[in-house]
Amino acid sequence: MPTVRLRSAAEYPAAAQKLFELSRAWFNHDFAEPPAMSRVMAWDPEFGGPHGRAMKRAMGPGEFTRGEKEMVAAVVSGVNACEY
Amino acid sequence: MTGDAIWYEAAQVVGITNALNVAADGLGALGPVDEPGAPAETRALFAEIRAFYGGSADVPQGFRFIAHDPAYAAEVWAAARHAYADNRLTRRFKEALAFAVSVTTRSASGAAFHLAEMRRLGVGQPGVMEIAGVTQMFSSYTKMADTLQLEPDMGSIAPVDPTPAPGGPAQ
């Protein structure tokens, strides 16, 4: 069980709703609620904003495909034993 | 990146990379096998490893430590060669995975080795930084998720692969 109460998207300010739209587009998936990590990142835009932009820069098109990078991300998560 | 086969390949790369890094970083007390004085099978093994890595003069240190048992080292190499070879995933990408694993597990020797292999196989500095960035960012996400004990909520995105195991009957 999470150590914090994850707020529903409706409890976030308007500026965060734009971030949730970006999250939906990023994953190309219509979530009932934005992913937990998206809601965590939207809690503090001064951290979540640059962190998210760094992630998008790393994951964007380049020498490796988005799919390959998602696999690298999954591998790093697995090696870190992160169930999420 | 759909279908389970590529994920099995990735898991092989993760596993054998960690195994080789453990040997390279942790078995130094054994000392490396003296190649000129080693049995013919060991010298042949080292020659095969060098050829696989483009004729490099350096056999990865982990193999020099485990080659005190040549038969064991040969089996480890057979598994490693299969895992790193071009298959559904390219060798170039597998080296990127191995680099990410090595960085994440703090294996400086593994990170240096697989970085050199990435470059040898044509990955430029921008590509290296892409993998470094993904590795670093997801080292952040994972620790935040663990700290907050977030529960998985994106498992339904990926489709289930209905195909049988290789050679097995379709269900």
Side-chain angles (χ1 to χ4, degrees), chain B residues 12-23:
Chain B
Q12 290 172 2
V13 170
V14 173
I16 202 70
T17 297
N18 198 50
L20 295 177
N21 289 348
V22 162

Side-chain angles (χ1 to χ4, degrees), chain B residues 54-91:
Chain B
S56 161
D58 293 327
V59 172
Q61 193 75 325
F63 282 107
R64 291 190 178 278
F65 296 150
I66 67 172
H68 288 293
D69 181 343
Y72 172 74
E75 297 291 11
V76 173
W77 169 244
R81 182 185 56 204
H82 179 79
Y84 289 121
D86 281 315
N87 199 337
R88 290 174 179 84
L89 299 177
T90 65
R91 188 170 169 189

